[in-house]
Amino acid sequence: MRHVRSVLGLIVIVGLLSACGVSADGPDRSSNPGDPTPSKSDGPVVWGTVVGTVRGPAGQPVAGVLVVPGAVDPTLEVPEIAVTTDQDGRYVWQLLPGRYELTGRHDRRTSPAAAVTVVAGERSTVDLTLTG
């Protein structure tokens, strides 16, 4: 039953991402809706990328972890969605510039919050470790 809920949740998230103009490669960051690849002529890139790996207490990568951002900046809008880790425990987030705390959640385990400052056009790495 839990697997069915996970699959249904993933379908809902993919639908929401599609409705918001977000593909598997991240949000459409260009000024030209027909071209998802930003170019210098499109103006500044407004998204930053956060990547990382989520590991279990023994150090093994964990698939299917929900990685949730929380805004530290009070004026920052945080998406009401999350990403999940792949089979190798990796995740990729496209977020607006600002300060966030990321948390991993899987079954009844969580990770301590990890702080990250997202900068437009730059990539940051935040690895998380589940406790418990």
Side-chain angles (χ1 to χ4, degrees):
M1 184 66 173
R2 187 171 57 181
H3 178 70
V4 171
R5 283 186 282 166
S6 296
V7 171
L8 289 175
L10 183 59
I11 291 169
V12 169
I13 289 171
V14 169
L16 289 171
L17 290 172
S18 297
C20 295
V22 177
S23 70
D25 298 328
D28 181 0
R29 297 164 292 184
S30 69
S31 60
N32 177 359
D35 178 12
T37 306
S39 69
K40 293 188 187 276
S41 64
D42 289 334
V45 176
V46 298
W47 299 93
T49 304
V50 180
V51 299
T53 301
V54 180
R55 298 187 182 282
Q60 77 285 10
V62 181
V65 176
L66 193 65
V67 179
V68 182
V72 174
D73 297 328
T75 59
L76 189 61
E77 290 186 37
V78 177
E80 294 184 19
I81 56 174
V83 296
T84 57
T85 58
D86 66 13
Q87 66 274 7
D88 297 317
R90 295 181 302 221
Y91 71 92
V92 177
W93 255 114
Q94 298 286 323
L95 294 168
L96 292 171
R99 294 181 303 147
Y100 296 88
E101 286 187 340
L102 299 180
T103 304
R105 298 179 190 159
H106 187 261
D107 292 331
R108 293 189 175 144
R109 297 182 296 172
T110 61
S111 72
V116 63
T117 299
V118 175
V119 178
E122 293 188 13
R123 182 183 194 113
S124 301
T125 300
V126 177
D127 294 328
L128 301 170
T129 301
L130 299 172
T131 58

